[in-house]
Amino acid sequence: MIAGSLSPPFWGAQTLSEISLDLLWPLLDRKALFRGGWGAGGLTGPAWEEIEAEFAARLRVMQVEAGAYLQPQAVYGYFPAHSDGEALVIYDPAAPSARQEVARFPFPRQPGGQRLCLADYFAPVGGPLDVAIFQVVTVGPGATARYAALEAEGAYSEAYFVHGLASHITEALAAWVHQRVRDDLGLAEKQGRRYSWGYPACPDVSQHREVFRLLPAEAALGMALTAAGQLVPEHSTAALIVTHPAARYFVVRSR
């Protein structure tokens, strides 16, 4: 499967160091925040309507204060790529035609069913160059410091709400950068799937180290990785965007 001919606006990485929260509030999934982030998952009917109104009022207040501890930033980039069996091979973006390998991402294949593998969605070695897009986003360390301070004061409920909001605004930020990529490439609204490490199609979070070699998340955003490859600060995500129109989400299970 070949993603087709794409013309990225640039090769390599770009940093977005100041992203306004005003751009992200419209992308915030309020239902997911209220039900998942703030614990109203099992409510229905009048009970849900009551808590939804209460949470909407709380969110309006928190939006006013959020700029004090949420600092949305991102790095993303376009990289020449091929597939090599079950691995995604990334070439030096400074000289795409030279096809000098700078990173390699092995991905698991489904043992049964359609036997899907992320690498299948990229043009194979020897064919025309394909494009792999990586993104890393963070709302910074301020949220962690904020809810740690609240917990230290015994304000556990407020800390819980801050944590939930930070998690979901991080997802809104990831969606915003993802849409920027779609706009850059002229993709249809549903084209361009985003895969994050730690999820079924790419479970190996240690591959974050390769992502950090490609994108200046440490130097530009002040981020770091734990010994296990987890992202620091907590409210951050990294992802690979796959542009192939047939790309889908799937689970890799053992036999």
Side-chain angles (χ1 to χ4, degrees), residues 116-161:
L116 297 175
C117 174
L118 279 186
D120 294 344
Y121 296 124
F122 294 87
V125 169
L129 279 177
D130 213 330
V131 181
I133 304 106
F134 297 91
Q135 67 175 61
V136 175
V137 309
T138 184
V139 296
T144 303
R146 176 78 167 212
Y147 61 72
L150 289 168
E151 286 185 338
E153 296 168 3
Y156 299 111
S157 178
E158 289 304 314
Y160 176 79
F161 286 113

Side-chain angles (χ1 to χ4, degrees), residues 61-247:
V61 172
M62 292 183 73
Q63 284 178 301
V64 175
E65 304 170 345
Y69 58 89
L70 298 178
Q71 297 178 307
Q73 301 177 81
V75 289
Y76 76 108
Y78 300 92
F79 294 83
H82 275 139
S83 64
D84 183 9
E86 294 172 349
L88 172 62
V89 179
I90 305 299
Y91 300 121
D92 186 352
S97 60
R99 303 190 181 189
Q100 179 180 348
E101 182 175 330
V102 294
R104 179 176 287 251
F105 295 84
F107 294 121
R109 182 177 296 283
Q110 288 180 313
Q114 295 181 278
R115 292 186 52 76
L116 297 175
C117 174
L118 279 186
D120 294 344
Y121 296 124
F122 294 87
V125 169
L129 279 177
D130 213 330
V131 181
I133 304 106
F134 297 91
Q135 67 175 61
V136 175
V137 309
T138 184
V139 296
T144 303
R146 176 78 167 212
Y147 61 72
L150 289 168
E151 286 185 338
E153 296 168 3
Y156 299 111
S157 178
E158 289 304 314
Y160 176 79
F161 286 113
V162 167
H163 188 280
L165 178 61
S167 295
H168 285 268
I169 206 66
T170 301
E171 178 56 31
L173 174 58
W176 182 82
V177 176
H178 188 175
Q179 187 57 53
R180 185 184 180 102
V181 167
R182 284 197 179 103
D183 294 342
D184 281 352
L185 298 176
L187 301 180
E189 180 61 32
K190 298 298 183 181
Q191 187 179 351
R193 299 283 186 176
R194 177 163 39 99
Y195 301 85
S196 290
W197 282 269
Y199 287 87
C202 47
D204 185 1
V205 296
S206 70
Q207 291 185 356
H208 283 153
R209 303 188 195 286
E210 291 296 291
V211 177
F212 272 42
R213 289 180 58 237
L214 298 173
L215 299 177
E218 292 174 285
L221 306 184
M223 294 180 63
L225 296 173
T226 68
Q230 298 286 354
L231 301 170
V232 180
E234 174 187 356
H235 299 291
S236 308
T237 68
L240 166 69
I241 297 175
V242 177
T243 63
H244 195 294

Side-chain angles (χ1 to χ4, degrees), residues 4-107:
S5 177
L6 295 174
S7 298
F10 58 90
W11 288 114
Q14 183 175 101
T15 300
L16 304 173
S17 57
E18 295 184 7
I19 300 171
S20 172
L21 280 167
D22 290 341
L23 297 171
L24 306 184
W25 297 123
L27 299 177
L28 181 68
D29 188 335
R30 292 161 59 98
K31 183 175 289 187
L33 171 63
F34 295 171
R35 289 192 176 279
W38 287 355
L43 298 180
T44 59
W48 161 247
E49 292 172 3
E50 181 179 351
I51 200 70
E52 183 183 26
E54 177 185 325
F55 282 175
R58 173 180 287 274
L59 178 59
R60 286 192 293 272
V61 172
M62 292 183 73
Q63 284 178 301
V64 175
E65 304 170 345
Y69 58 89
L70 298 178
Q71 297 178 307
Q73 301 177 81
V75 289
Y76 76 108
Y78 300 92
F79 294 83
H82 275 139
S83 64
D84 183 9
E86 294 172 349
L88 172 62
V89 179
I90 305 299
Y91 300 121
D92 186 352
S97 60
R99 303 190 181 189
Q100 179 180 348
E101 182 175 330
V102 294
R104 179 176 287 251
F105 295 84
F107 294 121

